[in-house]
Amino acid sequence: MTINIFAPAANAHIISAPSQLGENSLNALLANANRSMSSSRLITFDLSKLNFIEPIGVAALTCLGEYALTNWSVTYAGTEGTNDAISYLRAIQYISRIKNQTINSYPNPYQNYIPLNIFRQGQYNNYLYNELSPWLEQKLNLHPETTESIRVNLEEAYLNIRHHSGTQSGCTVAQFYPKLHLVRFAIADWGKGVPARVREFIKETRRIPDADLLFRACQHGFSSKSVEGNRGYGLFNLIKYFVRNNGGSIFIKSDLGELTIRNDGPTTEPKFFKKNVSHLHKYYGTLLSITLRTDKLIDGPMEREDLE
């Protein structure tokens, strides 16, 4: 297994990133990746057409690259550009990571992003406590208890990776959009997907679509039943905090299922939009995009809910 940043390998299959890489264009990237990884041991990720990328696009590219390195020889092309997307990838240290260069992962509170973080064996606490929390508190000028509330609820996404992925490894990136009053968090792993784990737990005897299994995983208390040691809040608490209480949104892509949860109308109850995709667009693991509305945050000391 080798990595060479400078040029595509001869006879390598090309995985081309689309010009815009976000929630709505992930399947174009995955179609290229799934075709290439099924037919070649030489892979080149080509970023030359990329002009715009969202945090979830960064997470998808990172996890695909990490997964590819387990079985393929990997090269990269198009990383020396100067457009906004490549400059952003350079700023968040994606380019440095794939070049195996020395990085400084601690975020600058004056920047609107946190550098890409790749964590192994579930070791994400340093990121949550020493990078994300101080950045949020300083960047958004938040009360410490508000920061803690965000961190505690985000931690459920990382626990999902720890308990369900099988690899206990993943990546994360965060971006603040001040003009839109949004913070987007992307969290991803390249292990076993949520639908596969749910299918094992319920001992499914009939074929339930993956999007329906994702929906089931979002129900209250489900994760506390599925894995010993889970705190039991899971995806349900993510949805409660970021969608119902804050008015933000969550997008989940795992195996053949996609689930979008948002506050879509005058009520505060989250609405779920399910989509099943073909095997060509399968993601082997779980991708999460969480949107926090900074204009809807209730900042300051809060009454603690009993989560037992």
Side-chain angles (χ1 to χ4, degrees):
M1 296 176 289
T2 61
I3 180 169
N4 177 353
I5 193 67
F6 300 108
N11 302 318
H13 277 244
I14 307 297
I15 300 176
S16 296
S19 60
Q20 299 193 30
L21 186 53
E23 288 181 17
N24 296 326
S25 51
L26 287 172
N27 287 334
L29 173 68
L30 291 172
N32 283 331
N34 287 329
R35 286 193 193 99
S36 297
M37 291 182 182
S38 65
S39 58
S40 176
R41 289 295 167 186
L42 299 174
I43 301 293
T44 293
F45 287 90
D46 184 3
L47 310 182
S48 60
K49 297 178 182 178
L50 187 65
N51 292 315
F52 175 80
I53 189 166
E54 295 177 354
I56 195 171
V58 176
L61 271 178
T62 302
C63 284
L64 284 172
E66 291 290 317
Y67 173 67
L69 282 171
T70 62
N71 287 294
W72 291 267
S73 293
V74 178
T75 63
Y76 286 81
T79 61
E80 304 302 322
T82 58
N83 66 21
D84 288 347
I86 300 301
S87 297
Y88 173 67
L89 290 176
R90 192 172 292 116
I92 65 169
Q93 302 184 26
Y94 170 85
I95 302 297
S96 297
R97 284 189 175 276
I98 61 175
K99 287 184 176 183
N100 293 318
Q101 295 175 338
T102 302
I103 61 169
N104 174 21
S105 62
Y106 285 91
N108 182 333
Y110 298 103
Q111 296 171 334
N112 288 335
Y113 54 82
I114 297 185
L116 171 68
N117 184 280
I118 300 174
F119 52 88
R120 312 288 184 188
Q121 301 301 317
Q123 295 176 346
Y124 48 79
N125 282 337
N126 181 65
Y127 171 80
L128 283 172
Y129 285 86
N130 298 323
E131 297 183 38
L132 180 65
S133 292
W135 177 77
L136 283 172
E137 193 168 313
Q138 294 178 62
K139 192 68 192 174
L140 304 181
N141 194 26
L142 297 177
H143 188 280
E145 287 196 19
T146 306
T147 306
E148 181 185 4
S149 183
I150 295 171
R151 177 191 57 75
V152 166
N153 284 281
L154 275 175
E155 192 171 1
E156 297 305 326
Y158 297 90
L159 285 169
N160 177 78
I161 289 173
R162 178 181 175 185
H163 288 300
H164 298 293
S165 70
T167 64
Q168 296 191 23
S169 301
C171 71
T172 186
V173 64
Q175 172 77 34
F176 175 44
Y177 300 87
K179 293 182 180 179
L180 299 176
H181 307 290
L182 302 175
V183 178
R184 288 205 171 102
F185 310 93
I187 305 158
D189 67 63
W190 55 91
K192 182 172 287 189
V194 173
R197 285 294 191 189
V198 174
R199 192 170 279 116
E200 289 175 357
F201 170 67
I202 64 175
K203 298 179 174 59
E204 178 197 5
T205 57
R206 59 190 178 89
R207 181 66 189 178
I208 300 174
D210 283 6
D212 291 320
L213 294 173
L214 280 177
F215 177 76
R216 187 173 296 195
C218 294
Q219 304 312 300
H220 182 45
F222 181 84
S223 59
S224 64
K225 303 173 185 176
S226 60
V227 178
E228 183 180 356
N230 247 12
R231 298 192 310 192
Y233 317 154
L235 295 173
F236 173 83
N237 237 47
L238 274 179
I239 294 164
K240 179 182 177 182
Y241 184 84
F242 289 100
V243 183
R244 195 183 78 178
N245 295 350
N246 176 253
S249 63
I250 295 175
F251 172 78
I252 310 170
K253 183 174 180 64
S254 188
D255 294 342
L256 301 177
E258 295 180 4
L259 192 64
T260 301
I261 309 108
R262 61 177 186 254
N263 207 328
D264 195 26
T267 68
T268 59
E269 288 305 310
K271 289 185 170 55
F272 293 79
F273 301 88
K274 295 182 285 188
K275 179 182 178 182
N276 290 291
V277 300
S278 71
H279 278 82
L280 189 61
H281 301 134
K282 182 175 182 177
Y283 181 77
Y284 292 87
T286 302
L287 283 164
L288 269 167
S289 177
I290 302 167
T291 300
L292 174 75
R293 291 188 58 175
T294 60
D295 59 335
K296 296 292 184 180
L297 269 177
I298 301 173
D299 191 26
M302 300 180 184
E303 294 183 7
R304 297 182 183 275
E305 293 183 76
D306 181 12
L307 297 174
E308 299 298 327

